[in-house]
Amino acid sequence: MEPSLPALPPVDEHHVDRRRYPDGVAFMDGQYLPMSQAKISVLDWGFLHSDATYDTVHVWNGRFFRLDLHLDRFLGGVERLRMKLPYDRKKIESILTVCVALSGHKSAYVEMICTRGSSPTFSRDPRQAENRFIAFAVPFGSVANKAQLERGLHVAISETVRIPPKSVDPAIKNYHWLDLVKGLFDAYDMGAETALVLDTNGHIAEGPGFNVFFVKDGCLTTPAFGMLPGITRRTVFDLCAEIGLSATAADVSRAGIKGADEVFITSTAGGIMPVTRIDDAAIANGQVGPVTRRLMDLYWQKHDDLSWSTAVEYP
Ligand code: PLP
């Protein structure tokens, strides 16, 4: 006889025993669950074929940062992958908010996912799959730890080429990470802490979970091709426009980035994070530069700005 699993009752959004949700809260198949119970079938194409799209937004001091931009990117990806969500934008926003509120986390990493799901008849036709929406809120995490944020990261440029945009459109945020993980192992082998990988033309593309910028003579440059158009990258452009700094998307060569005055990476997981060493050489004098510091400060200040952030109402 098959062991029967206890069915979890649907959770009323307003009457929840928060002690059941110590580390984080997920939403899937119509229920809010403790993180440890959020599991998908191994038959889900999201798992079997990486056939999924997702987005990650963060909450800082109890406020979502630029949630609208993350929802735009997520919903755009879902549409372009020809998936269908069982909920509209407003409901998704409410689910994300409830996940954060139930988790109690004032600083959270919040993910929304749509997987292809699977077909009830095990059909190989993706049109017959029942797409699945999942969301969760866990404690905020960063690409760079405290020490790395203070002294700057050591990054290595891997020879690995990021999957071409003609194969997988990087604007559809995805879990195709075999190239990025290979890049990370290359970086560890070179004694570095994280990696940059290349685009199909041999220029710098991005890293595992982040975009990259360099500063030369007061002007900022970031790769234009082969990378995810990150929301933090976009935020850097917005901040630069506000304070009158020039920021351009263009091809970035190895020599260009290594000869920069300053380098930093950007991600929802950590914001703007300095890089002070690439491969075996320091960037300029090896210290975190003034443009990077100024943008880091401004970036975190914007988290209290009502036009850039949305409050979470905690129970
Ligand atoms: N590039 C990749 C491959 C990513 O996975 C991410 C974030 O997860 C980024 C760039 C940065 O994007 P964002 O600033 O929207 O977090």
Side-chain angles (χ1 to χ4, degrees):
M1 208 173 76
E2 285 210 326
S4 63
L5 291 171
L8 276 155
V11 174
D12 177 332
E13 292 176 9
H14 302 290
H15 297 96
V16 170
D17 179 356
R18 295 243 320 268
R19 288 166 303 182
R20 289 176 63 208
Y21 304 103
D23 299 312
V25 172
F27 174 90
M28 63 188 296
D29 300 333
Q31 291 188 321
Y32 293 95
L33 304 162
M35 253 339 264
S36 58
Q37 292 181 28
K39 295 173 182 168
I40 62 160
S41 161
V42 291
L43 294 176
D44 192 306
W45 282 31
F47 172 70
L48 289 178
H49 304 311
S50 201
D51 189 348
T53 187
Y54 76 111
D55 217 291
T56 308
V57 54
H58 70 220
V59 168
W60 193 253
N61 286 338
R63 304 183 70 83
F64 278 105
F65 189 61
R66 311 205 89 178
L67 178 57
D68 276 347
L69 296 182
H70 288 278
L71 285 169
D72 287 347
R73 185 170 66 181
F74 177 61
L75 296 174
V78 167
E79 193 182 327
R80 289 165 70 192
L81 292 178
R82 304 202 207 185
M83 292 175 177
K84 283 199 178 59
L85 287 167
Y87 311 109
D88 64 13
R89 183 183 178 112
K90 216 162 173 288
K91 178 67 183 172
I92 290 172
E93 189 171 339
S94 145
I95 291 168
L96 298 176
T97 307
V98 173
C99 284
V100 177
L102 293 179
S103 78
H105 297 311
K106 297 291 182 311
S107 297
Y109 178 95
V110 186
E111 202 156 315
M112 59 203 101
I113 306 166
C114 187
T115 70
R116 186 72 58 193
S118 53
S119 143
T121 60
F122 300 110
S123 160
R124 298 179 71 84
D125 181 341
R127 293 170 300 184
Q128 295 183 10
E130 291 173 358
N131 305 157
R132 167 174 275 135
F133 174 76
I134 305 167
F136 63 82
V138 291
F140 180 80
S142 172
V143 173
N145 62 33
K146 196 167 176 289
Q148 291 167 334
L149 286 173
E150 278 161 16
R151 64 158 157 82
L153 285 150
H154 177 190
V155 174
I157 302 174
S158 160
E159 290 302 318
T160 306
V161 174
R162 188 84 169 102
I163 192 166
K166 279 191 175 164
S167 306
V168 174
D169 181 350
I172 303 172
K173 194 165 155 68
N174 63 74
Y175 293 120
H176 287 263
W177 267 53
L178 294 187
D179 42 15
L180 294 172
V181 171
K182 180 174 175 297
L184 262 182
F185 277 104
D186 290 346
Y188 298 149
D189 289 346
M190 289 187 260
E193 293 162 323
T194 189
L196 285 168
V197 299
L198 307 176
D199 69 19
T200 40
N201 302 315
H203 298 121
I204 307 290
E206 61 182 345
F210 54 82
N211 295 113
V212 66
F213 282 80
F214 76 84
V215 186
K216 186 75 184 172
D217 301 327
C219 298
L220 286 85
T221 309
T222 189
F225 172 74
M227 70 317 132
L228 172 77
I231 305 298
T232 322
R233 174 181 180 272
R234 151 88 189 263
T235 299
V236 169
F237 278 103
D238 293 342
L239 294 176
C240 285
E242 264 193 34
I243 59 176
L245 283 178
S246 149
T248 318
D251 288 344
V252 172
S253 68
R254 286 157 196 264
I257 200 166
K258 287 181 162 189
D261 300 328
E262 300 180 33
V263 176
F264 61 83
I265 59 170
T266 62
S267 174
T268 296
I272 298 171
M273 297 163 276
V275 172
T276 46
R277 194 171 182 83
I278 296 188
D279 295 343
D280 50 7
I283 297 300
N285 64 3
Q287 307 290 313
V288 179
V291 175
T292 307
R293 279 198 196 286
R294 185 170 178 207
L295 289 169
M296 286 170 81
D297 288 349
L298 260 180
Y299 174 80
W300 290 108
Q301 278 168 27
K302 287 287 185 190
H303 284 64
D304 298 325
D305 187 320
L306 301 194
S307 54
W308 294 52
S309 62
T310 324
V312 174
E313 286 199 17
Y314 293 86

